[in-house]
Amino acid sequence: MANSYINLFACCLIVKGNRRSTLVDIQRGTFIFLPLNISDLLLTSRSITIGQIFSSYSVEDADEISKYFDYLIENEYAFYTMNPESFPLLSLDWKTPHHITNAIIDYDSGSRYNIVDAISQLEHLGCAVVQIRFYSRVGLEFLLQTLNGISKGSGRIRSLELILCFNEEISKEQYRKLIKKFPRVIKITVHNSPFQYKYQFPDSINEIEYINQHIKDETHCGFVSPEYFRANKYFFTESQTFNSCLNRKISIDKFGEIKNCPAMQIGYGNIATMSLMEVSQQSHFQDVWNINKDKIDICSDCEFRYLCTDCRAFTQDPHNRYSKPLKCKYDPYTMVWS
Amino acid sequence: MILILTTHGDHSTDQTIDWLTHYKAKYQRININDLLVDQTISYKIDSTQDEFTINNKSSKDFTVIWFRKSGVFRSSYLMLKSKSILKDQLSSFLSFEYAAFVQSLKISFKNVTWLCDIESVEALDKTKQLILASKAGLDIPKSLITNDKNCAAEFVKKLNGKSIIKPLAESEIFNAGDAKYSISPKLLTQIFFKALKTKKFLPSLIQEYLDKDIELRIFFLDGDCYAMAIFSQLDNQTKIDYRNYNFDKPNRYVPYALPTTVIENLKCFMRDVGLNTGSIDMIKTKCGRMVFLEVNPKGQYDMLSNPCNYFLEEKIAKSLINKLN
């Protein structure tokens, strides 16, 4: 035992904050907290045997450390091995074959742009994930038309999320049929609903949810709180180098303006006159893609920085492009949510 | 151009095609199950030509073929329907017809480079694999194929009473109404033979039970090995076979660095079986043996690419593109 090593499983990654660390389990999608000194120890434990670790501490400290080690072994965050060199660290590279990976399309009663055309452009770009937000009521006929446009494409849009405003003329059953007909619609959220309701399709990820909240416009976004945390490999690795909200995202606001996010000020051209491809290839458009959490004030000291989704639309200081998200209430220097 | 033989809905194919598109490579995808739906094959046979067309593209245009998947004909609607008529007689006839058709395709692919040569795949069986692996210097489990109770009992006794029985061909899951019966590796003890009434049985594969430290899954591509360790022994449910997945608490899957001697032996083995790609199963025992179990030429590389962040889909795309030149 004394000449073996304690090794974290490669999918359990330490993120050091100012006062404590998180140990993020990107395989099982959870995280725990660790004191900074324990996480420091674990970061070097691949080259120091257990015996060497314990011999450099007092009996009391060693006892404390060994309690943490027991916990990590017991809960399968770490294992003992004689050959740490056989277990390389996980590469944290992130890459994608797609120029654009995700998109938000906003539409309300005043919108005049051609939504079917916008979607077919996204298909052409190879954008796999699309969210369409309707702030005001739309009829079933319009939805069918829009979705038919998608189903005629090449199938590169793989999942579609619809945010719809409550419309008493469309029944739950009709929405259910809609998803059955277009299984790429993985979720329908109906906002401004007088009742709450949730339906999960058996043996699939598709779901329908009715919520009371009225989503009036694009300002309903950018919240940062533990309930929105994500611990998975794709998100964690992307966040290392890229912006965790805006990287390879393209958006069309309700006026047809092409933006990084509908809630941001800067537009790069209108969908009526410019193509999504043209806009997305502009280097100015891509600037925000590279603002990772390590570049953002305060966030760079936070132990949650690869778990939360950043927001560049609402920040504490709009004049500073590296300012902390306005709607994040966590302080990594006091470890308090306010 | 690259020809991809696969099936409808194979996610791994989709992802690799995304990379082919990214690198602007030309390809034609054939979903073998869609031959009954919307793909067109036309093969005129005479003395002057041995080419055929797939969706109006000539077989001569294909210089690289990726044999990703084939065996889904048996789950096609035609097969399922045929089972309700004349029981197995019709479906077995259709299977032979299909196999003969695949055979006829092979003839006209002469000067192509394969990723996963269809001939090598068909020539591969478990016994041959074990013999060639052993010749290539790999450690294999002590194995016996026998139809005799006494021979089997004697063999198991020599293994200190601990052995497993596993299918010589493929593991299977049978559905009967709501019930599922799985034919997969099972522990075999001497007590089993005491209870066994018959002296002879269908020839079966018996192997020594290996006391696992970790299981290894290795994706082999053009001489490179991408290895992953599976900590299946931490969970009783997955101890004998990690495919008894525990979805609530999945086994730990992490990257693994193979010793260079094992890599060399694997390269030698893969050359001998004529494969440039495949998913290899190995076990590292508690006493440090690295034991080869089998290679599956069309294994799911997705299950290691994702947890180990190896980007195998991109590597396969690049391999196909390299083979074009």
Side-chain angles (χ1 to χ4, degrees):
Chain A
M1 188 65 171
N3 52 6
S4 66
Y5 300 79
I6 185 165
N7 218 351
L8 288 171
F9 287 106
C11 49
C12 298
L13 295 137
I14 288 170
V15 183
K16 284 177 72 175
N18 183 262
R19 300 268 306 271
R20 63 180 169 185
S21 294
T22 49
L23 179 62
V24 183
D25 181 346
I26 58 173
Q27 185 197 19
R28 294 180 184 165
T30 57
F31 68 90
I32 56 168
F33 295 108
L34 289 176
L36 286 173
N37 51 5
I38 296 290
S39 63
D40 280 339
L41 209 52
L42 290 166
L43 287 168
T44 58
S45 70
R46 295 170 63 83
S47 49
I48 310 169
T49 64
I50 300 285
Q52 286 167 326
I53 289 176
F54 286 141
S55 66
S56 53
Y57 286 92
S58 69
V59 178
E60 277 166 13
D61 287 349
D63 194 46
E64 194 60 27
I65 293 166
S66 97
K67 275 183 196 153
Y68 272 102
F69 285 2
D70 289 347
Y71 177 83
L72 294 170
I73 298 287
E74 181 77 10
N75 292 282
E76 295 182 14
Y77 291 106
F79 61 103
Y80 291 117
T81 179
M82 302 293 280
N83 317 95
E85 69 286 354
S86 297
F87 298 94
L89 299 174
L90 193 76
S91 150
L92 294 180
D93 288 350
W94 183 90
K95 50 185 164 177
T96 172
H98 304 296
H99 175 55
I100 294 293
T101 58
N102 67 112
I104 300 177
I105 297 180
D106 279 3
Y107 210 83
D108 72 5
S109 52
S111 298
R112 291 290 168 261
Y113 69 90
N114 184 337
I115 193 167
V116 174
D117 173 63
I119 291 166
S120 78
Q121 288 193 39
L122 288 172
E123 183 101 283
H124 183 67
L125 281 168
C127 174
V129 180
V130 178
Q131 186 184 58
I132 310 180
R133 308 189 292 200
F134 294 96
Y135 297 119
S136 37
R137 292 167 33 142
V138 284
L140 195 60
E141 198 51 37
F142 181 81
L143 278 179
L144 281 170
Q145 258 174 30
T146 308
L147 293 174
N148 265 324
I150 297 171
S151 67
K152 284 197 192 98
S154 53
R156 298 175 77 191
I157 294 179
R158 292 198 181 132
S159 82
L160 190 76
E161 191 183 346
L162 296 178
I163 315 270
L164 300 169
C165 186
F166 182 76
N167 180 347
E168 63 279 354
E169 285 165 19
I170 307 176
S171 68
K172 293 176 203 155
E173 189 49 39
Q174 282 170 307
Y175 283 137
R176 234 179 275 173
K177 277 191 186 151
L178 198 74
I179 287 188
K180 269 197 187 137
K181 189 166 179 211
F182 304 101
R184 279 191 278 171
V185 177
I186 56 156
K187 184 169 185 184
I188 290 180
T189 304
V190 179
H191 64 92
N192 199 27
S193 163
F195 55 88
Q196 290 183 345
Y197 169 76
K198 199 166 179 166
Y199 178 76
Q200 182 84 43
F201 284 76
D203 298 322
S204 82
I205 51 164
N206 303 59
E207 59 178 331
I208 296 173
E209 190 175 8
Y210 283 65
I211 56 171
N212 296 136
Q213 196 174 24
H214 188 189
I215 303 175
K216 288 191 205 74
D217 57 32
E218 64 283 346
T219 58
H220 178 85
C221 193
F223 302 100
V224 179
S225 95
E227 62 183 298
Y228 299 125
F229 282 175
R230 283 189 278 182
N232 68 57
K233 190 206 76 180
Y234 186 91
F235 189 79
F236 191 94
T237 52
E238 185 179 24
S239 307
Q240 301 289 312
T241 326
F242 302 103
N243 188 273
S244 54
C245 180
L246 301 176
N247 185 37
R248 291 178 188 258
K249 178 185 254 112
I250 197 161
S251 302
I252 305 170
D253 76 3
K254 56 196 175 199
F255 304 109
E257 283 297 315
I258 305 170
K259 296 177 167 181
N260 296 110
C261 152
M264 286 174 86
Q265 296 301 314
I266 306 167
Y268 298 83
N270 198 286
I271 187 86
T273 53
M274 286 184 88
S275 74
L276 294 178
M277 177 68 94
E278 269 176 279
V279 169
S280 65
Q281 277 170 341
Q282 294 175 12
S283 67
H284 287 314
F285 180 81
Q286 297 180 11
D287 275 350
V288 288
W289 293 3
N290 296 309
I291 304 180
N292 68 351
K293 277 292 187 188
D294 295 287
K295 291 179 185 149
I296 297 168
D297 300 343
I298 305 172
C299 296
S300 59
D301 286 327
C302 180
E303 62 275 24
F304 299 123
R305 65 187 177 278
Y306 308 127
L307 291 167
C308 75
T309 307
D310 187 46
C311 176
R312 291 296 93 207
F314 308 107
T315 55
Q316 290 182 347
D317 173 8
H319 302 294
N320 170 9
R321 66 195 301 250
Y322 300 112
S323 171
K324 187 192 166 194
L326 181 68
K327 299 182 192 180
C328 172
K329 304 293 175 208
Y330 182 69
D331 180 349
Y333 307 107
T334 58
M335 302 190 295
V336 173
W337 292 89
S338 58
Chain B
M1 199 188 309
I2 299 161
L3 176 65
I4 302 169
L5 300 175
T6 183
T7 66
H8 186 84
D10 181 54
H11 184 56
S12 303
T13 308
D14 297 345
Q15 287 185 309
T16 304
I17 283 178
D18 286 342
W19 284 104
L20 287 175
T21 310
H22 175 79
Y23 289 117
K24 300 183 168 59
K26 279 191 181 161
Y27 65 86
Q28 169 72 47
R29 172 180 183 158
I30 291 287
N31 299 323
I32 297 189
N33 41 348
D34 287 347
L35 288 178
L36 297 169
V37 187
D38 59 1
Q39 314 242 4
T40 307
I41 283 198
S42 167
Y43 198 161
K44 271 190 199 139
I45 304 161
D46 62 41
S47 64
T48 57
Q49 62 173 32
D50 55 1
E51 64 175 290
F52 62 93
T53 60
I54 295 179
N55 296 345
N56 291 323
K57 292 191 178 78
S58 164
S59 59
K60 286 196 172 140
D61 294 341
F62 301 117
T63 52
V64 174
I65 307 178
W66 180 27
F67 181 39
R68 164 79 193 111
K69 265 180 174 252
S70 71
V72 292
F73 179 65
R74 61 181 175 167
S75 55
S76 70
Y77 80 89
L78 190 63
M79 276 304 260
L80 297 176
K81 211 173 154 191
S82 72
K83 283 195 174 158
S84 60
I85 317 164
L86 297 172
K87 290 192 179 148
D88 284 346
Q89 301 178 82
L90 183 57
S91 59
S92 98
F93 168 76
L94 291 174
S95 289
F96 284 123
E97 278 294 287
Y98 176 73
F101 158 71
V102 173
Q103 187 70 27
S104 75
L105 286 188
K106 286 191 306 193
I107 294 167
S108 70
F109 290 128
K110 283 201 189 90
N111 297 313
V112 299
T113 310
W114 289 84
L115 182 65
C116 200
D117 191 333
I118 198 163
E119 302 257 8
S120 306
V121 173
E122 284 176 3
L124 206 64
D125 66 67
K126 218 168 267 177
T127 319
K128 182 177 163 189
Q129 283 194 30
L130 287 171
I131 293 167
L132 289 177
S134 182
K135 279 188 180 163
L138 290 160
D139 190 353
I140 60 166
K142 290 188 187 74
S143 307
L144 176 76
I145 299 173
T146 184
N147 69 329
D148 184 85
K149 179 180 165 176
N150 289 336
C151 286
E154 184 70 14
F155 182 70
V156 173
K157 198 177 161 190
K158 274 191 194 145
L159 297 172
N160 298 320
K162 270 188 132 183
S163 64
I164 57 163
I165 182 158
K166 70 192 233 186
L168 259 173
E170 298 297 326
S171 295
E172 278 288 353
I173 292 171
F174 303 120
N175 296 309
D178 287 340
K180 276 186 185 198
Y181 300 95
S182 110
I183 308 259
S184 55
K186 288 280 179 310
L187 263 183
L188 194 62
T189 59
Q190 281 167 302
I191 302 158
F192 172 81
F193 293 103
K194 287 195 181 113
L196 189 68
K197 296 243 160 48
T198 52
K199 284 206 168 87
K200 305 282 180 194
F201 39 81
L202 192 71
S204 304
L205 174 63
I206 303 170
Q207 287 187 328
E208 70 173 310
Y209 173 81
L210 298 163
D211 215 4
K212 274 191 295 192
D213 178 22
I214 45 177
E215 290 189 53
L216 302 173
R217 175 57 91 95
I218 301 135
F219 182 72
F220 184 93
L221 181 66
D222 299 329
D224 290 321
C225 290
Y226 303 91
M228 173 172 86
I230 302 172
F231 284 73
S232 52
Q233 85 292 354
L234 294 177
D235 189 337
N236 276 329
Q237 188 177 329
T238 55
K239 248 181 178 165
I240 307 278
D241 189 346
Y242 76 86
R243 286 166 298 188
N244 296 324
Y245 304 111
N246 181 340
F247 292 103
D248 297 329
K249 203 183 80 183
N251 283 165
R252 288 303 190 189
Y253 289 3
V254 296
Y256 189 78
L258 286 172
T260 46
T261 50
V262 173
I263 295 174
E264 287 311 312
N265 294 342
L266 285 173
K267 275 175 157 172
C268 179
F269 164 74
M270 289 297 273
R271 196 189 55 223
D272 292 348
V273 291
L275 287 172
N276 48 10
T277 187
S279 293
I280 297 160
D281 288 337
M282 292 184 75
I283 278 179
K284 182 172 171 279
T285 67
K286 288 203 172 121
C287 51
R289 280 171 68 193
M290 301 278 275
V291 187
F292 171 92
L293 298 181
E294 64 179 313
V295 59
N296 180 355
K298 292 172 276 139
Q300 284 298 352
Y301 50 83
D302 181 50
M303 65 92 74
L304 77 243
S305 184
N306 184 35
C308 298
N309 213 24
Y310 282 148
F311 295 99
L312 295 178
E313 299 77 12
E314 183 191 21
K315 292 191 164 87
I316 292 167
K318 281 185 164 169
S319 156
L320 291 167
I321 293 166
N322 285 337
K323 289 180 174 53
L324 282 173
N325 308 319

